[in-house]
């Protein structure tokens, strides 16, 4: 599942890699840089991580979005949890895209849709 996410992101020219452990948070995820197209971080590339509550992608999309704490200082969102990864503190947020994901056709349940319709709006609102 994580390899599928990383592969789909790489198909979008995003350098994604699988993380097998978040150092103290358990589970794994995918880490990648993403440039914010709008909002207070417009034009800035942030490091993001994705992890799951369910183990059934693409039926269930990534539930948690992780950010390096130093990159998003001052956000109004409430963090779900924090952990250290690669020498930095990361904050995980519960951002499920349930408002639209369940209504998508199976062919649209992919990282292209997730990034464009979900992650870009998260970045805009940070």
């Amino acid at each position: 599942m994580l390899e599928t996410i990383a592969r789909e992101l790489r198909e979008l020219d995003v350098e994604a890699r699988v993380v097998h452990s978040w150092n103290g948070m358990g589970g794994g995820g995918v880490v990648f840089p993403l440039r914010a197209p709008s909002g207070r971080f417009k034009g800035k590339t942030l490091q993001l991580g994705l992890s799951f509550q369910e183990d059934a992608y693409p039926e269930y999309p990534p539930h948690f979005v992780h950010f390096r704490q130093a990159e998003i200082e001052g956000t109004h969102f409430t963090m779900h949890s924090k952990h250290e990864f690669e020498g930095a503190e990361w904050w995980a947020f519960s951002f499920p895209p349930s408002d639209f994901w369940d209504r998508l056709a199976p062919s649209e349940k992919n990282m292209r849709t997730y990034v464009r319709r979900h992650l870009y709006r998260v970045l805009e609102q940070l």
Side-chain angles (χ1 to χ4, degrees), residues 26-77:
V30 177
V31 176
F32 56 97
L34 190 63
R35 187 177 177 100
S38 59
R40 74 178 175 129
F41 295 108
K42 181 179 180 176
K44 183 175 180 180
T45 300
L46 302 174
Q47 295 300 311
L48 278 72
L50 301 177
S51 63
F52 291 82
Q53 191 169 37
E54 301 288 339
D55 191 21
Y57 178 81
E59 183 61 29
Y60 297 103
H63 183 97
F64 298 101
V65 181
H66 305 243
F67 295 94
R68 284 186 185 160
Q69 175 269 330
E71 291 185 341
I72 62 160
E73 192 70 47
T75 185
H76 64 280
F77 288 113

